[in-house]
Amino acid sequence: MRHPLVIGNWKLNGSKHMVNDFIVALRNKLSSVVGCDVVIAPPVAYLDMAKRHLDGSCIALGAQNVDTHFSGAFTGEVSAEMLKDIGVKYIIIGHSDRRTLHKESDDIIAEKFFVSKTVGLVPVLCIGESKTEKEVGQTEDVCVHQIDAILNRMGAKAFENTVIAYEPIWAIGTGKSATPAEAQAVHKFIRGYIAKHDESIAEQVIIQYGGSVNTINAAELFTQPDIDGFLVGSASLIVDSFVMIVKIASSSK
Ligand code: PEP
């Protein structure tokens, strides 16, 4: 039985005030909500502070990036062990912002996945196709290619206790979500592809949908059998919207 999971990816947004006010409100509004794991992923500068504000709550901490190295002369980078050391649990890997703006290749992403798993972080592997790739019918090929990078590096066991976030690039930050049927078809395909390598891991791997999730479309998306939760960008910055999406994902299917 897969447990729903909602992650708020704050991207490059936030401030000390925002972290404080947001977490106070979030803890308060989610105090009676069970049935859904909740994660916030603020910018790295606020992770330690956020962790201290989250202490004693069920809300976990996620980070948005990690280096491929454990330590050494890599100015400006943050290692998986450092993230683990300050209480981070989840790590977002392969987000399209990083694939496109920072030119992260599948090999780099696989290495980030590897170092994260090695230290006991939970990788959240973002995959998904561009608008053009969708239009020419390459959605499944793109997902396979991005998943294969991990399978080739670590084998199917890599996906044990991890998360895949299907995030079609054309839906991220555009206000144009995939329809529930479109998303379900891809999620089912992804689970089926993992099952070809290991059925029990496919059954337990959490597959989130991400891309313009909001308080209006979340409920119908969540009714789909292979949608196990959401990776939320913009709507995760508004506490009431984020709380409503969490409440939707904590309701039984
Ligand atoms: C994201 O950046 O991962 C994301 C899903 O953003 P948004 O919800 O704003 O589309």
Side-chain angles (χ1 to χ4, degrees):
M1 181 69 181
R2 297 183 297 274
H3 201 64
L5 172 69
V6 173
I7 301 177
N9 174 14
W10 289 13
K11 309 184 200 182
L12 191 57
N13 296 293
S15 64
K16 276 184 2 184
H17 279 299
M18 191 245 182
V19 172
N20 178 48
D21 294 354
F22 190 96
I23 295 177
V24 168
L26 192 64
R27 289 184 69 148
N28 193 16
K29 289 169 194 265
L30 290 182
S31 60
S32 60
V33 175
V34 287
C36 177
D37 290 331
V38 182
V39 179
I40 56 167
V44 66
Y46 301 120
L47 286 173
D48 191 40
M49 178 190 172
K51 178 62 190 157
R52 280 182 274 117
H53 285 298
L54 289 172
D55 268 348
S57 79
C58 295
I59 303 159
L61 191 62
Q64 302 174 19
N65 189 28
V66 65
D67 192 41
T68 54
H69 302 91
F70 288 105
S71 63
F74 304 102
T75 304
E77 299 296 347
V78 176
S79 76
E81 278 169 333
M82 291 170 189
L83 295 174
K84 178 89 177 159
D85 194 30
I86 62 165
V88 168
K89 182 168 177 197
Y90 293 83
I91 175 76
I92 298 170
I93 288 170
H95 192 281
S96 67
D97 288 345
R98 302 225 45 102
R99 289 182 190 265
T100 52
L101 302 175
H102 298 270
K103 308 277 179 280
E104 285 188 9
S105 65
D106 282 324
D107 285 348
I108 289 175
I109 290 160
E111 207 54 31
K112 291 186 174 194
F113 195 106
F114 172 76
V115 295
S116 300
K117 272 230 107 176
T118 303
V119 307
L121 295 173
V122 179
V124 179
L125 177 72
C126 300
I127 62 174
E129 81 286 4
S130 66
K131 187 165 179 282
T132 314
E133 288 162 340
K134 176 182 163 60
E135 283 166 358
V136 297
Q138 288 179 342
T139 298
E140 293 182 356
D141 290 346
V142 170
C143 291
V144 163
H145 191 76
Q146 293 174 339
I147 291 171
D148 276 352
I150 310 299
L151 291 173
N152 294 339
R153 176 70 176 83
M154 296 177 70
K157 290 274 181 265
F159 286 105
E160 197 163 22
N161 301 320
T162 59
V163 181
I164 296 173
Y166 170 58
E167 295 210 306
I169 299 169
W170 48 268
I172 296 176
T174 60
K176 191 186 176 326
S177 163
T179 66
E182 273 174 335
Q184 166 57 24
V186 183
H187 282 227
K188 188 175 174 199
F189 171 80
I190 293 167
R191 200 178 301 288
Y193 186 66
I194 304 276
K196 284 187 191 159
H197 297 82
D198 191 311
E199 278 185 28
S200 70
I201 288 179
E203 204 34 55
Q204 59 87 32
V205 70
I206 292 171
I207 309 181
Q208 295 181 309
Y209 170 77
S212 296
V213 173
N214 58 37
T215 55
I216 295 162
N217 59 26
E220 207 185 332
L221 283 162
F222 192 63
T223 58
Q224 304 301 310
D226 288 291
I227 296 183
D228 304 321
F230 302 112
L231 180 53
V232 188
S234 317
S236 75
L237 295 168
I238 302 160
V239 74
D240 285 337
S241 303
F242 189 59
V243 165
M244 195 177 291
I245 292 167
V246 169
K247 285 185 177 169
I248 288 166
S250 63
S251 58
S252 53
K253 291 223 188 210

